[in-house]
Amino acid sequence: MKALPFRKRTVPLLPALLLLTAGCGDAGELAAAGPTPTASGPVNLWPGRQGAVVPPADPGGAPPEYVPGLPRVENQDVHAVDPVALVQAELRARPNADVGPDGMPRETADAVLACGKEPAGKCPVLSPYYRDLTGNGRDEIVVGIELPDRMLSVRAYTADPDGRLNRIMATIDTVIGVELAGRDVILRAPSGNNGYELITAWSWDGKQRSMLPTREQIVRVPGPARPQPSSPSPSPSPSPDRGTVSPSDASGASGASGPGSAGGAASS
């Protein structure tokens, strides 16, 4: 009967004992991960320095850049738009643009204006792609124009309810590749540092009513795999010594008796 109070006192200690033994590191048991580093927020360097000022965005947004000289787009269906006629209309609207997003060498501009008159494959306007970039539930059209020195002009257009075609993106860069990811246009270009490329994501900004470069990232490009040193092939194990067989012994084993027998066999 005296043991009962002792048992009552030891029962509440069992969970504590289990917690103490849980970090022993035995197989299948919990183990301590070590001390946790203290979290710290960003530190503002040179707080007394007067920094640059970002001008506020126009509250009215950027004015639409409608493409003149094109027929109205029915039902905002950009699939019916001829991409070559679209680029040609912009060339006629800005005939002497050689810098900026409309910049184009004279030989490229002449080639664009001659599209459809020259043999196939000579037109710098690439096949278009379609994707809902603005989130309005309708596709936009993305057009590429090949320029000299591996440069590419990338442009995107949307049709408004009035049937006018509005350019919402235009950029020129030395492009490695272009991708569509969700509602973003992703451009991959050399970064200027060997072994790295610059990835720029262009996204729709509803307030500015245009596509803007919202994210940039420099990533390392995996280099070619180094050839692995080939392991030396195992040398064949020496065969047991069976003695040396001379040519005469070999011929004798086949029933012949020297060179004369070969001639005799040939004559028989």
Side-chain angles (χ1 to χ4, degrees):
M1 297 301 294
K2 293 181 180 180
L4 290 177
F6 179 77
R7 291 175 182 173
K8 290 180 181 179
R9 289 194 300 269
T10 57
V11 170
L13 296 178
L14 289 177
L17 292 175
L18 291 175
L19 291 175
L20 291 175
T21 58
C24 293
D26 295 336
E29 299 290 343
L30 296 176
T36 303
T38 304
S40 61
V43 178
N44 186 16
L45 304 185
W46 305 294
R49 176 182 174 271
Q50 184 176 1
V53 177
V54 178
D58 187 347
E65 295 189 35
Y66 293 119
V67 182
L70 287 177
R72 298 278 175 163
V73 181
E74 297 293 335
N75 300 319
Q76 297 179 262
D77 182 14
V78 296
H79 293 260
V81 176
D82 182 357
V84 173
L86 172 57
V87 179
Q88 289 175 341
E90 289 195 304
L91 275 175
R92 296 187 182 100
R94 304 175 182 88
N96 299 317
D98 52 2
V99 295
D102 289 293
M104 191 176 298
R106 185 70 259 168
E107 59 271 19
T108 304
D110 292 341
V112 170
L113 294 175
C115 285
K117 305 173 186 176
E118 296 182 349
K122 296 292 186 179
C123 184
V125 181
L126 304 179
S127 299
Y129 285 86
Y130 304 91
R131 179 69 61 91
D132 180 7
L133 302 175
T134 63
N136 64 354
R138 300 181 180 273
D139 281 345
E140 277 70 46
I141 180 173
V142 182
V143 177
I145 308 168
E146 286 281 11
L147 303 176
D149 301 325
R150 305 280 183 176
M151 300 189 74
L152 185 70
S153 173
V154 182
R155 305 177 182 182
Y157 308 82
T158 187
D160 67 7
D162 294 332
R164 294 174 297 180
L165 207 60
N166 173 23
R167 189 172 77 180
I168 58 175
M169 174 186 173
T171 185
I172 296 176
D173 205 343
T174 305
V175 173
I176 299 172
V178 183
E179 302 169 0
L180 288 173
R183 287 164 50 187
D184 291 347
V185 180
I186 311 294
L187 269 62
R188 297 170 45 234
S191 69
N193 296 324
N194 293 339
Y196 293 84
E197 66 183 27
L198 177 64
I199 298 178
T200 305
W202 288 72
S203 310
W204 170 253
D205 188 310
K207 292 184 177 180
Q208 296 299 309
R209 292 179 290 178
S210 62
M211 302 283 288
L212 299 178
T214 55
R215 298 186 304 278
E216 288 189 345
Q217 183 182 13
I218 296 178
V219 298
R220 185 181 181 90
V221 180
R226 295 182 178 180
Q228 298 295 328
S230 57
S231 57
S233 57
S235 56
S237 58
S239 58
D241 186 12
R242 301 181 182 274
T244 304
V245 181
S246 64
S248 58
D249 294 336
S251 60
S254 62
S257 58
S261 64
S267 60
S268 58

